[in-house]
Amino acid sequence: MANLKALRTRISSVRSTRKITSAMKMVAAAKLRHAQESAEAARPYAERMARMMASLAGAFAGREDAPRLLAGTGSDRVNLIVVVTSDRGLCGGFNASVVRSVRQRIAELHKQGREIKLLCLGRKGRDLLRRDHGELIIETLQGLDKGFSYDTARDAAERITRMFEAGEFDRCTIVFNRFQSVMTQVVTWQGLIPAVAADQPVDDLGGAVYIFEPDEGAILEHLLPRNLGVQVFRGLLESQASEHAARMTAMDNATRNAGDMIDRLNLVYNRTRQAAITTEITEIVSGAEAL
Amino acid sequence: MAGRVNFELVSPERILVSDTFDMVVIPGGDGDIGVLPDHAPLISTIRPGVIDIHDDGKVAHQVFVAGGFAEVLPDRCTVLAERALMVASIDAGDVRARIEAAELDLRDAESDADRTRAGDELAVLNAMLEAVPDS
């Protein structure tokens, strides 16, 4: 019977989908562990750099000769937004939530008459934003899911610094999914330029003041671009861990849904088969009676 | 004997060294800095060079760093390095080959940014070669 055959095909197709989604879930789980480890391993560097930044920024507070990367250009006309997303889909609302937040921000800033530029790290961000805001995207970096190192982040940061020095924008913010837990990823906005010193209590040095070698200015000149690189790197790592977590959850749901669907289809299949058998028997019996 | 220095060498990717030692000598931007316990608070840049870690009256470890920052507090010393590797694992031949490549890059550099970058790379590699004993 055609109907039975269709059901059989359907069941086997859902079965193979379930196989794929459960395999993807396993892969995501393995990658998540790795990504989480590297995100945690990178934390000490970022923390210590933030501490150094805080000490240095303290030394420059209120001074007019503060470097522009620290103090900004004094204007906020052109805003650069660095959008961190994944290269691949099938990870639930991971990319959509970042992009939604970016869209809102663009609408707000446009209302205030600001100019916006977008730098996409990850292919999906560009794909999703291209239709509405294609003209704002100045550059896209992809291939991040094949693994990246600090050098990748440093290159991106150098490009941002060069653009800043060329006066292409006044402010820069980065947006990414911060990894909170396997179930929750939080879209996070963070300012890159002007550099914000983390709200971290500066160590009590017992009244002592740091000696700076060679001097505050020279150190800041080196530290600020590095700090930018570290922030971008952190964003990438957090985003990567979030991506795998989101994909794992999404694929877990998909696997469960596929299981439910197989159960339902099996029920329908068995019922239809039973109905066909009953009809056949009735036909034979009524045929015999007619003799 | 006085206390020991809590020394940490951190790269963006992970913590490389975290232990206590007798003394650490850091290649600071303005010259080498020897760090003993109870050093005055200090923040310094680091030039490409070798960190000597002294323990038991001799140099216990040598680590090459390509630049970064050092933060010294009375009870500890933290070095943030972008790239770091043990001197023992540096292969002089390999470094020479990379120096040649970097020199070519420097010659072919078209923009100022490329030139600066190639120049920096060359300086790092030269320092790396110097770090290798008997090269």
Side-chain angles (χ1 to χ4, degrees), chain A residues 3 8 19 37 53 67 71 77 96 100 104 110 113 115 134 139 141-142 149 156 175 184 193 227 246 251 256 261 264:
Chain A
N3 197 15
R8 258 203 310 271
K19 253 183 222 157
E37 269 166 23
M53 278 291 295
R77 200 176 56 81
R100 196 181 321 121
Q104 271 173 12
H110 267 318
E115 209 178 302
E139 213 163 339
L141 242 81
Q142 40 182 307
S149 66
V175 55
T184 9
I193 300 174
N227 185 49
M251 287 302 120
R256 207 168 311 136
M261 188 172 249
R264 262 201 320 276

Side-chain angles (χ1 to χ4, degrees), chain A residues 10-209:
Chain A
R10 186 83 203 280
I11 290 172
S12 78
S13 124
V14 178
R15 276 229 170 86
S16 53
T17 308
R18 182 174 64 172
K19 253 183 222 157
I20 294 170
T21 56
S22 83
M24 281 183 77
K25 183 190 141 191
M26 306 288 241
V27 172
K31 283 189 177 166
L32 169 65
R33 198 170 323 133
H34 189 233
Q36 214 176 330
E37 269 166 23
S38 40
E40 270 159 23
R43 224 163 267 167
Y45 190 88
E47 275 168 13
R48 289 175 176 90
M49 184 148 261
R51 200 170 59 201
M52 251 186 238
M53 278 291 295
S55 323
L56 280 159
F60 264 98
R63 272 166 61 174
E64 289 203 343
D65 57 343
R68 294 208 314 162
L69 278 172
L70 181 69
T73 55
S75 151
D76 53 1
R77 200 176 56 81
V78 188
N79 289 258
L80 176 75
I81 302 176
V82 182
V83 187
V84 187
T85 53
S86 67
D87 274 354
R88 293 200 237 167
L90 288 179
C91 42
F94 174 79
N95 292 313
S97 54
V98 170
V99 167
R100 196 181 321 121
S101 172
V102 170
R103 284 218 177 92
Q104 271 173 12
R105 180 60 67 96
I106 292 177
E108 270 169 37
L109 289 171
H110 267 318
K111 216 177 284 168
Q112 296 166 19
R114 306 267 164 73
E115 209 178 302
I116 296 154
K117 288 177 178 176
L118 298 173
L119 176 70
C120 297
L121 302 179
R123 193 170 57 88
K124 278 286 157 187
R126 185 204 53 182
D127 289 356
L128 291 170
L129 286 165
R130 191 163 45 181
R131 191 177 311 158
D132 299 344
H133 303 293
E135 74 289 351
L136 302 178
I137 301 176
I138 45 172
E139 213 163 339
T140 309
L141 242 81
Q142 40 182 307
L144 295 171
D145 62 341
K146 291 191 195 79
F148 59 86
S149 66
Y150 175 66
D151 292 347
T152 321
R154 194 184 50 193
D155 288 348
E158 269 174 18
R159 196 163 313 172
I160 294 172
T161 317
R162 271 204 302 280
M163 282 168 53
F164 180 71
E165 275 159 5
E168 288 177 39
F169 62 89
D170 301 309
R171 269 163 186 277
C172 177
T173 28
I174 186 168
V175 55
F176 57 91
N177 269 301
R178 190 165 55 80
F179 180 82
Q180 197 169 52
S181 72
V182 177
M183 296 303 293
T184 9
Q185 294 87 38
V186 191
V187 177
T188 310
W189 289 84
Q190 199 182 335
L192 291 180
I193 300 174
V196 216
D199 290 334
Q200 214 170 352
V202 180
D203 281 348
D204 184 17
L205 298 174
V209 183

